[in-house]
Amino acid sequence: MARNDSRILATPGDNTIALALLTLAAALPLFVFGEKISGNQGFGFDGFIFGPMAADFYGALREISQYRLQRLLPSAILYHLHLAIGGPFTSQDIVTGYVLLNVTALVAGSFVWGRIADNLGMSQPAKWLGGIALIANFASLKMLSYNPVLMDGIAFLLGLLVLHSWLRGRTLLLHALSIITIFAWQTAWIYCVPLLIFRRQERTAGGEEHRIAAVAAGALSAILFVGVLLVKPAAGATPVVLTEPYTAFKVLIACTWLALGVRELVQVFPWRNLVQDFHRTLLDSGATVLTVAAIVLILKTAPNAPNEYPMSFARQLPYLLARAFDRPGVFALCLVIYFGPVAYLALWRWRSVSRLAATMGPGMPIFLGMSLVMTLNSESRHLVFVFPFVVALTIKVMDARPITPASVLLFLALSLALSRVWLTIGNPPGEAYFMNFGPWWGLKLYCINLLLAIGTAVVATLIFR
């Protein structure tokens, strides 16, 4: 009875604006007055290539490369805002513009999250829990504040907008957003494809299960993973290396992670929906082909610059997957370290998350499967676009049981502690910065993060046991 009463009190839209205002109050002073990376005039490691485009946007278009094309959106926004305001536009002004864009992305993202929570029928404690999971982590609070000239804030907001549009069935907007993503985040449009083909559906949980197919798919995914590594021996995955005991152990962990995750998704995959909704899926597939064709044509307008980061995802994939065996389970640890305790909750409740995704039709399980493959890349910031999807499904699953205000407050404390928002990184950035990105972990950082992840898992389990 108490559970039902709390549901009745949770009217749609409650606390959505309050959550956005609280995000603004927390992020604005931190982002404006907090420490910043000083290298390359404040543009940091990547921003020195695309950040200056904001000063001469149309001049930069004449010499656009594919790398810069896929980071064009913030420069376009800042340049035209500068035209409206007038005055000088120095490097510091561009950095400040990115700072304010990131704050805007977090605040707008909090508001969109409130709408998503309402659409999914979450209780008010769950809505707050999800808002905390999205904002109170290293990715949102510290990374965007310390190294602001990045695409991460824009990608975070686009992920929330895509999720909201898909849940609401706004097909035209979803196609438009998919095209917009290519100007901010390299892989986002690829994740959008299954959502464009398969609309959200309302199905009850349970029903068909395909255990044999699930086991076979899990095993096949592990075999393909090793196969990709063997195809690209330059990544260090030669047959001789893979048979070394320590490396074989690391590969075994990665294969187990992938096989078990895929198994859960395939076991409850709604195959019958593919037949029942064949005609609508066929029409949506045709529209998706047109959208993808438009995206490919846009991308082909800009060449790859030899002195910039290669933009071919097919070329990058083996290299990114090879990071899975830098250290045993490094990819899983980095997810918790970078995105906070909600990453552990998603792992803990992955079976229920998979079942919930299956009730929404084929699109969401396919989306999760693609995301699962990319978790093997231990530079977890590459998952910032898909992060809101995982949070939404995980929090909805957690909401199946009563979430108390005390649990929300304890989760907030745990999230803030793990976010290291209180930690001074310094210039040039050292261990306090690189401890958040798996490819740069030595044995010391690996052991520290292993202890942090285990401690986070224990505390989170006690909070939601």
Side-chain angles (χ1 to χ4, degrees), residues 8 18 63 78 98 134 191 242 284 299 313 330 332-333 358:
I8 292 173
E63 299 178 356
L78 293 178
Y98 269 89
L134 287 168
Y191 288 108
L242 291 179
D284 288 337
L299 293 177
F313 186 67
V330 60
L333 301 182

Side-chain angles (χ1 to χ4, degrees), residues 34-377:
E35 65 167 338
K36 302 284 185 296
I37 193 170
S38 61
N40 295 317
Q41 297 180 302
F43 292 133
F45 299 112
D46 300 328
F48 80 96
I49 298 178
F50 55 83
M53 290 193 302
D56 184 16
F57 178 73
Y58 291 103
L61 284 181
R62 290 193 290 270
E63 299 178 356
I64 196 70
S65 65
Q66 201 167 110
Y67 178 86
R68 300 179 189 224
L69 174 70
Q70 296 186 46
R71 286 148 182 81
L72 203 62
L73 184 58
S75 294
I77 295 172
L78 293 178
Y79 177 80
H80 290 95
L81 284 176
H82 166 244
L83 284 183
I85 298 173
F89 203 42
T90 64
S91 297
Q92 185 56 50
D93 293 326
I94 295 174
V95 173
T96 301
Y98 269 89
V99 168
L100 297 179
L101 275 180
N102 289 337
V103 173
T104 302
L106 292 185
V107 174
S110 295
F111 182 82
V112 176
W113 162 251
R115 295 299 183 90
I116 290 171
D118 290 338
N119 184 272
L120 292 174
M122 293 187 189
S123 65
Q124 293 305 308
K127 181 188 290 189
W128 282 102
L129 192 69
I132 292 168
L134 287 168
I135 304 300
N137 53 62
F138 181 89
S140 296
L141 282 187
K142 192 64 175 179
M143 182 66 175
L144 291 180
S145 172
Y146 177 77
N147 193 3
V149 187
L150 290 173
M151 299 294 106
D152 299 39
I154 297 293
F156 170 80
L157 177 58
L158 285 172
L160 284 161
L161 289 172
V162 167
L163 175 58
H164 182 254
S165 300
W166 185 75
L167 290 174
R168 295 290 301 273
R170 296 180 176 176
T171 305
L172 291 179
L173 179 58
L174 186 59
H175 280 267
L177 287 170
S178 300
I179 295 175
I180 291 172
T181 62
I182 67 172
F183 301 109
W185 203 251
Q186 178 185 353
T187 56
W189 71 271
I190 302 175
Y191 288 108
C192 290
V193 169
L195 304 180
L196 293 172
I197 296 175
F198 301 105
R199 303 187 189 190
R200 179 192 179 184
Q201 300 170 6
E202 295 290 345
R203 306 288 182 183
T204 57
E208 55 182 318
E209 290 195 4
H210 315 276
R211 297 185 179 181
I212 296 177
V215 172
L220 180 61
S221 65
I223 293 171
L224 290 176
F225 166 61
V226 176
V228 169
L229 297 181
L230 292 175
V231 167
K232 293 288 184 179
T238 62
V240 174
V241 171
L242 291 179
T243 58
E244 294 176 354
Y246 184 51
T247 303
F249 175 64
K250 293 184 289 186
V251 174
L252 177 62
I253 292 177
C255 288
T256 302
W257 168 278
L258 189 60
L260 294 180
V262 169
R263 186 194 67 179
E264 295 296 341
L265 290 170
V266 174
Q267 182 166 308
V268 295
F269 190 83
W271 297 101
R272 293 178 183 174
N273 293 17
L274 296 177
V275 177
Q276 294 173 352
D277 300 304
F278 176 77
H279 295 294
R280 188 172 70 174
T281 300
L282 191 63
L283 291 174
D284 288 337
S285 297
T288 302
V289 169
L290 295 177
T291 297
V292 171
I295 290 172
V296 172
L297 287 175
I298 293 171
L299 293 177
K300 285 185 175 296
T301 60
N304 269 313
N307 60 336
E308 294 178 356
Y309 193 71
M311 299 306 295
S312 171
F313 186 67
R315 288 175 55 192
Q316 292 181 37
L317 184 61
Y319 167 72
L320 297 176
L321 293 182
R323 291 174 168 180
F325 56 89
D326 287 341
R327 299 280 176 182
V330 60
F331 50 89
L333 301 182
C334 200
L335 287 171
V336 177
I337 297 302
Y338 198 76
F339 290 119
V342 71
Y344 164 73
L345 295 180
L347 172 61
W348 180 27
R349 304 300 301 275
W350 184 250
R351 173 170 294 181
S352 298
V353 168
S354 300
R355 291 180 180 276
L356 174 61
T359 66
M360 298 179 176
M364 189 58 74
I366 295 174
F367 181 98
L368 287 183
M370 296 167 62
S371 305
L372 183 68
V373 172
M374 288 312 301
T375 59
L376 294 170
N377 167 24

